[in-house]
Amino acid sequence: MAKGKGKGLKGALARHVAQERMMKKQAAKVVPEKGKKTKPQRVQASQAPTCPWHQDDQVLLVGEGDFSFALSVVKQGFVVPTNLVATSYDSYEDVVAKYAGAEATVAELISSGVKVLHNIDATKLSQSLQIKKKPLDVNVVVFNFPHTGKGIKDQARNIRDHQILVSEYFKSARELLTAAPESSGYFVKNWRIMLSLFDGEPYDSWQSKRLARDLGLQVDRSVKFGWSLYPGYHHRRTNSMRDTTKPAEERSARTYVFVPREPKDDKNDQKD
């Protein structure tokens, strides 16, 4: 009796497995009706830390502090030195005075072939870089952890102040990239604007993705900012060598990659 019951269960299980396989095969053969478009998949955020640009991209870094990030990406082979332009808002004298070791870092970058510029305002790139006199051939602009450095205590005012900074950066970077010389070919058609931010507040309240949408941009993807990818990189306060309240490498952060927004993708753009 027990033996017969075992056969019955075994047979039922076999029939169930066979039926599931048949259903999967039929589902795989289903073809969308003619004229119907399949719903596009939303771009997923990458959980694995990775450099957000390609090695052969021509990259402009804005808002560098002690230039340790620029030196790290060069040493790690994430960019060809001659394809990198690293800039700071501060003058060279201020950079050297504020950040220990910056003088040697800048010298090493220059000797490796990197173009280093100072007094470059991320919100006024075309004017600061004087592209009318000499166009800058880049296709990627990167701003890591923007901060005004004003130390505004009022939370609402502080958030608004940084929204203006981010918005003006987007506007300035787009203007610069769309003014790139036609001779750059591939790069003119594939420009990207990148922004690295810490997770959580007050950064979430900056609503950077909404600000980007208002300026005709959309998130193409985002990647986890992997501190271990950039050995030697020191995230500093805007006005000194001091680290932030909590060591940067212990904080979660992401780099968002923005591209020109296509009208048909408006409804599928990521929400804040």
Side-chain angles (χ1 to χ4, degrees):
M1 184 74 177
K3 191 174 181 180
K5 189 175 181 180
K7 282 185 177 180
L9 288 173
K10 188 175 181 181
L13 179 59
R15 287 193 297 274
H16 177 69
V17 171
Q19 186 177 18
E20 279 198 335
R21 286 177 179 171
M22 181 63 71
M23 291 176 68
K24 286 181 179 179
K25 286 182 179 180
Q26 290 176 344
K29 292 179 181 179
V30 174
V31 179
E33 292 180 27
K34 192 174 182 180
K36 274 194 174 182
K37 293 183 179 180
T38 55
K39 188 176 181 180
Q41 296 295 314
R42 177 172 290 182
V43 176
Q44 296 296 316
S46 173
Q47 299 304 315
T50 182
C51 182
W53 64 78
H54 306 300
Q55 188 183 37
D56 60 348
D57 279 329
Q58 293 177 291
V59 183
L60 169 65
L61 297 179
V62 301
E64 284 288 279
D66 62 0
F67 287 88
S68 58
F69 180 79
L71 185 59
S72 183
V73 296
V74 168
K75 286 187 172 182
Q76 296 306 304
F78 291 139
V79 65
V80 177
T82 52
N83 284 351
L84 178 63
V85 180
T87 72
S88 66
Y89 178 77
D90 293 321
S91 65
Y92 173 73
E93 292 73 21
D94 286 341
V95 168
V96 172
K98 286 164 63 172
Y99 306 109
E103 184 174 7
T105 298
V106 170
E108 187 171 352
L109 284 170
I110 294 174
S111 65
S112 69
V114 175
K115 187 173 185 178
V116 178
L117 300 172
H118 305 283
N119 295 309
I120 303 300
D121 188 340
T123 67
K124 298 176 182 178
L125 290 172
S126 293
Q127 298 94 313
S128 298
L129 294 166
Q130 299 182 326
I131 63 168
K132 288 184 178 179
K133 294 182 179 179
K134 188 177 181 181
L136 192 65
D137 198 1
V138 298
N139 70 303
V140 173
V141 182
V142 184
F143 198 169
N144 290 323
F145 311 107
H147 199 279
T148 62
K150 295 180 180 179
I152 299 174
K153 300 299 181 182
D154 182 83
Q155 185 79 322
R157 282 183 56 216
N158 187 50
I159 288 172
R160 181 55 187 155
D161 201 50
H162 283 89
Q163 285 182 321
I164 293 173
L165 171 62
V166 171
S167 182
E168 289 300 310
Y169 160 62
F170 284 148
K171 190 185 303 181
S172 175
R174 176 164 189 158
E175 177 185 299
L176 175 73
L177 291 167
T178 53
E182 290 298 327
S183 60
S184 58
Y186 164 84
F187 299 117
V188 171
K189 300 175 183 177
N190 295 275
W191 55 264
R192 282 150 284 151
I193 298 172
M194 302 183 186
L195 180 73
S196 298
L197 297 173
F198 289 112
D199 292 335
E201 294 296 346
Y203 313 99
D204 290 350
S205 291
W206 294 3
Q207 297 183 309
S208 300
K209 286 178 278 188
R210 179 182 63 78
L211 296 175
R213 286 197 298 271
D214 291 344
L215 293 169
L217 302 171
Q218 68 182 30
V219 176
D220 178 57
R221 63 193 178 96
S222 72
V223 298
K224 185 175 181 180
F225 191 94
W227 301 97
S228 61
L229 289 178
Y230 313 110
Y233 170 43
H234 312 117
H235 174 69
R236 303 297 188 189
R237 289 179 181 270
T238 306
N239 57 1
S240 72
M241 274 291 291
R242 289 183 300 161
D243 204 335
T244 48
T245 306
K246 184 178 181 181
E249 59 273 14
E250 295 179 13
R251 303 171 69 181
S252 178
R254 299 197 74 81
T255 297
Y256 298 89
V257 181
F258 296 90
V259 296
R261 191 180 70 189
E262 297 179 17
K264 63 181 180 180
D265 290 335
D266 285 357
K267 293 181 180 179
N268 298 314
D269 199 8
Q270 293 187 15
K271 296 180 180 179
D272 288 303

